[in-house]
Amino acid sequence: QKEVEQNSGPLSVPEGAIASLNCTYSDRGSQSFFWYRQYSGKSPELIMFIYSNGDKEDGRFTAQLNKASQYVSLLIRDSQPSDSATYLCAVPGGDSNYQLIWGAGTKLIIKP
Amino acid sequence: EAGVTQSPTHLIKTRGQQATLRCSPISGHTSVYWYQQALGLGLQFLLWYDEGEERNRGNFPPRFSGRQFPNYSSELNVNALELEDSALYLCASSGNGGADTQYFGPGTRLTVL
């Protein structure tokens, strides 16, 4: 069974600092990686996705892949209180039915 | 362009009743996924439909069932409701198979009394 693992947190970061979230995956052949943000009581929304060929930056968000150690990171620069949410990682996997496998999410708290 | 829509927003049922939840995917998307999210917990995969067929099913009892219609909208049915079925039920759609980006609807909050 392919797995995606995240530290449940909460991860507490002071406002203005860099928040670093990690996600480990078991399928060495994974080619794409997704990060979603979920506010309490709301549905997940896509932040960004990257392919196995490189990192990606979008505004204050950067996704980085470490293929050797099989983890993907999400860095949030200049963290704001509005970044406080649960961050979900998803990686395609599965044997006969290839679909997104979801991590349990990391709760991030940005302290003013 | 309209996103994924779900109805109803809230649903209150009593134990033993049946619940029907509905989802309309983004126009052009053929895959629909259903997830259950109990309070404070992660996403639990329920069902995946694509082109009208059930492609995969999560580790849930048979009283959780669904279908996808020719217009790609979908329905989730939960029979013989139990208290622990109380959760946020999320529908997502994607346009290019199981490994593609999923876009979520706002969810249906089911409360079983």
Side-chain angles (χ1 to χ4, degrees), chain B residues 48-106:
Chain B
W48 169 21
Y49 291 97
D50 182 57
E51 299 279 3
E53 301 286 330
E54 182 180 300
R55 298 299 182 189
N56 199 11
R57 180 184 182 85
N59 189 24
F60 280 84
R63 58 190 186 84
F64 287 84
S65 64
R67 53 180 171 167
Q68 186 177 34
F69 299 99
N71 66 353
Y72 304 116
S73 67
S74 178
E75 196 173 84
L76 174 69
N77 293 292
V78 188
N79 293 321
L81 284 165
E82 299 179 2
L83 296 179
E84 52 265 35
D85 296 333
S86 295
L88 180 66
Y89 288 82
L90 292 162
C91 171
S93 74
S94 72
N96 198 24
D100 196 17
T101 305
Q102 294 183 17
Y103 297 91
F104 286 82

Side-chain angles (χ1 to χ4, degrees), chain A residues 15 23-24 32 36 38 41-43 53 59 63 70 82 97 103 107-108 112:
Chain A
E15 183 177 357
C23 167
T24 61
S32 55
Y36 286 74
Q38 185 177 25
K42 303 295 185 181
S43 60
N53 58 352
Q70 292 182 236
S82 59
N97 296 291
K107 184 173 184 178
L108 175 66

Side-chain angles (χ1 to χ4, degrees), chain A:
Chain A
Q1 174 69 26
K2 303 298 190 291
E3 293 182 349
V4 176
E5 295 186 350
Q6 297 180 256
N7 188 318
S8 62
L11 174 65
S12 185
V13 174
E15 183 177 357
I18 296 175
S20 178
L21 305 160
N22 287 336
C23 167
T24 61
Y25 59 95
S26 62
D27 187 354
R28 191 170 288 278
S30 296
Q31 297 291 313
S32 55
F33 308 86
F34 299 80
W35 282 103
Y36 286 74
R37 176 177 62 199
Q38 185 177 25
Y39 292 113
S40 180
K42 303 295 185 181
S43 60
E45 55 180 334
L46 178 72
I47 299 175
M48 63 195 311
F49 65 88
I50 61 170
Y51 294 107
S52 60
N53 58 352
D55 301 341
K56 185 176 180 179
E57 182 177 319
D58 184 1
R60 296 186 297 112
F61 297 90
T62 299
Q64 297 177 329
L65 176 63
N66 185 318
K67 280 196 277 189
S69 299
Q70 292 182 236
Y71 71 85
V72 57
S73 299
L74 179 69
L75 303 177
I76 307 175
R77 290 182 301 280
D78 188 24
S79 297
Q80 302 296 309
S82 59
D83 295 326
S84 296
T86 296
Y87 289 80
L88 302 170
C89 171
V91 182
D95 297 319
S96 59
N97 296 291
Y98 205 59
Q99 66 185 85
L100 293 188
I101 308 299
W102 294 85
T106 298
K107 184 173 184 178
L108 175 66
I109 298 173
I110 306 299
K111 291 192 170 181

